[in-house]
């Protein structure tokens, strides 16, 4: 059983608060970075440097009419947007933000993360089906197919990390990287994980589920007001969560590079501040990477997305897993 303490509640509350607000910051950052890449100005009217633009967007969504398709399933249409938001919030429970800074440390937290992360697609699929629109249904089916295609290589990439550590606890995986990050020990697994995380987030170049050229808006075509806003919130929350997962599994979590060799001992308070700052900085970098890729690489075709997942990433991830297992068994041991 995981021990429940006051520190756990504080960490969980702070993480949830930051995650909800990070979505608004990510929207603002995306607009500014996109404007910079495209040689535009970006938001600069609402508040200083346009910082109040996300707040204006929320007010705009609240004032829009909430329309539900007459022939759609009203109950599922209403509750579908909540699923990806809730699953995104559930993931922070087992993520370590510093040494001893986590909400809970369950025995199989890696399996918990993979299970919860795979549930978000149900909101997209059910939302597309409940809208009773062919565009929305196709977007939902694409989301399901894409999730199945990339969940397998993502899981194998994580498994290749688990066999290094010999534990299914995310806290143990983070602690193991004090000296060497897994991006150095397992670079192929890191690349597979990053590509799969992009696909799981439905972000460009994998945004086939909401391709406006052929699907108008995809799964959320029939959504408006705050129902659409919740899908929008969930997308950016998953970007932040996947950035946290990249940091945790392959980029040292809250550790600095090769910290075991040069970082001196320090008081617990300052160590906690340093850990959280390092973890946050790495997460911000990967959020920037998501934005950079979106405004740089064009969207793949649907057959290219399926071929990459099944014919490239899955075989490579399986081979990588067995090679690492063989090295650990025959050479290291």
């Amino acid at each position: 059983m995981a021990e429940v303490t006051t520190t756990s509640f504080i960490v969980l509350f702070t993480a949830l608060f930051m995650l909800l607000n990070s979505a608004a910051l990510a929207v603002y950052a995306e607009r500014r970075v996109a404007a910079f890449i495209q040689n535009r100005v970006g938001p600069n009217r609402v508040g200083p440097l346009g910082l109040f633009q996300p707040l204006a967007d929320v007010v705009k969504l609240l004032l829009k009419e909430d329309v539900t398709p007459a022939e759609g399933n009203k109950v599922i249409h209403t509750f579908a947007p909540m699923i990806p938001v809730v699953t995104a919030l559930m993931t922070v429970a087992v993520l370590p933000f510093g040494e001893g800074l986590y909400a809970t440390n369950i025995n199989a937290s890696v399996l918990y993360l993979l299970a919860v992360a795979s549930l978000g697609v149900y909101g997209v699929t059910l939302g597309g089906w409940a809208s009773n629109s062919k565009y929305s249904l196709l977007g939902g089916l694409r989301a399901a197919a894409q999730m199945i295609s990339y969940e397998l290589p993502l899981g194998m990439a994580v498994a290749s990390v688990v066999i290094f550590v010999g534990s299914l606890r995310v806290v143990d995986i983070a602690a193991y990287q004090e000296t060497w990050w897994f991006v150095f020990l397992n670079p192929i697994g890191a690349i597979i994980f990053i590509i799969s995380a992009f696909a799981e987030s439905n972000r460009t170049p994998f945004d086939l589920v909401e391709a406006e050229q052929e699907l108008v808006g995809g799964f959320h075509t029939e959504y408006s007001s705050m129902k659409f806003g919740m899908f929008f919130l969930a997308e950016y929350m998953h970007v932040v969560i996947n950035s946290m997962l990249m940091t945790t599994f392959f980029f040292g979590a809250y550790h600095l590079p090769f910290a075991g060799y040069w970082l001196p001992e320090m008081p617990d308070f300052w160590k906690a501040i340093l850990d959280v700052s390092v973890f946050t900085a790495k997460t911000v970098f990967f959020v920037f990477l998501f934005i950079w890729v979106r405004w740089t690489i064009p969207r793949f075709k649907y057959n290219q997305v399926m071929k990459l997942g099944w014919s490239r990433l899955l075989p490579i991830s399986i081979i990588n897993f067995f090679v690492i297992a063989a090295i650990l068994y025959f050479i290291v041991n």
Side-chain angles (χ1 to χ4, degrees):
M1 284 289 291
E3 183 181 359
V4 179
T5 63
T6 304
T7 304
S8 300
F9 281 113
I10 294 174
V11 170
L12 182 60
F13 177 81
T14 304
L16 292 175
F17 177 80
M18 294 303 296
L19 181 60
L20 288 170
N21 287 278
S22 66
L25 295 174
V27 171
Y28 175 79
E30 174 135 48
R31 291 184 170 184
R32 298 295 292 188
V33 173
F36 175 77
I37 291 174
Q38 297 178 338
N39 197 24
R40 296 186 287 107
V41 176
N44 64 348
R45 298 291 183 181
V46 187
L49 301 176
L51 287 171
F52 294 158
Q53 186 64 52
L55 179 61
D57 292 337
V58 172
V59 174
K60 179 185 69 174
L61 286 171
L62 287 172
L63 295 177
K64 283 182 175 290
E65 182 183 3
D66 183 10
V67 179
T68 302
E71 301 299 324
N73 188 309
K74 293 179 174 57
V75 175
I76 298 179
H77 188 272
T78 299
F79 284 98
M82 302 179 189
I83 297 175
V85 174
V86 172
T87 55
L89 293 173
M90 290 171 64
T91 56
V92 300
V94 297
L95 290 178
F97 301 96
E99 188 174 348
L101 298 177
Y102 48 82
T104 184
N105 183 21
I106 59 179
N107 291 330
S109 51
V110 170
L111 297 180
Y112 169 85
L113 275 179
L114 293 176
V116 169
S118 64
L119 292 176
V121 72
Y122 285 99
V124 175
T125 306
L126 290 175
W129 174 80
S131 297
N132 194 31
S133 165
K134 293 180 175 59
Y135 293 119
S136 302
L137 179 60
L138 285 172
L141 293 176
R142 284 184 177 187
Q146 193 163 299
M147 185 276 292
I148 295 171
S149 301
Y150 286 88
E151 192 77 17
L152 295 173
L154 185 142
M156 291 302 298
V158 174
S160 65
V161 168
V162 169
I163 59 174
F164 264 107
V165 183
S167 171
L168 284 171
R169 296 175 185 262
V170 179
V171 172
D172 294 340
I173 293 175
Y176 189 91
Q177 299 177 78
E178 181 179 3
T179 302
W180 285 89
W181 296 358
F182 281 121
V183 68
F184 303 116
L185 300 174
N186 184 12
I188 296 176
I191 294 171
I192 293 172
F193 187 91
I194 291 173
I195 295 174
S196 300
F198 270 86
E200 292 279 295
S201 303
N202 296 326
R203 297 276 296 186
T204 306
F206 299 98
D207 60 334
L208 274 301
V209 301
E210 49 185 294
E212 62 269 15
Q213 285 87 346
E214 64 261 32
L215 295 184
V216 185
F219 65 94
H220 56 62
T221 300
E222 303 297 332
Y223 279 90
S224 60
S225 189
M226 279 310 295
K227 292 179 185 175
F228 171 79
M230 292 188 72
F231 274 128
F232 197 66
L233 172 67
E235 177 182 337
Y236 283 94
M237 287 174 64
H238 278 93
V239 167
V240 176
I241 287 295
N242 281 317
S243 298
M244 290 180 177
L245 295 180
M246 293 177 194
T247 298
T248 302
F249 284 121
F250 289 97
F251 289 86
Y254 48 83
H255 297 295
L256 289 167
F258 310 108
Y261 290 120
W262 61 271
L263 188 65
E265 293 289 332
M266 59 180 65
D268 292 341
F269 175 78
W270 293 111
K271 181 66 166 60
I273 295 296
L274 177 63
D275 288 348
V276 173
S277 300
V278 170
F279 188 89
T280 303
K282 293 177 183 178
T283 301
V284 169
F285 169 78
F286 284 112
V287 171
F288 169 76
L289 182 65
F290 271 95
I291 298 171
W292 184 15
V293 168
R294 175 178 180 178
W295 297 99
T296 305
I297 301 177
R299 179 186 299 122
F300 295 155
K301 293 190 295 184
Y302 189 67
N303 64 313
Q304 292 175 325
V305 172
M306 293 295 104
K307 184 176 181 180
L308 176 63
W310 289 104
S311 301
R312 301 291 187 272
L313 294 186
L314 182 58
I316 294 173
S317 65
I318 294 174
I319 293 171
N320 180 63
F321 175 83
F322 281 108
V323 167
I324 291 175
I327 291 174
L328 291 176
Y329 183 80
F330 291 107
I331 299 178
V332 176
N333 295 332

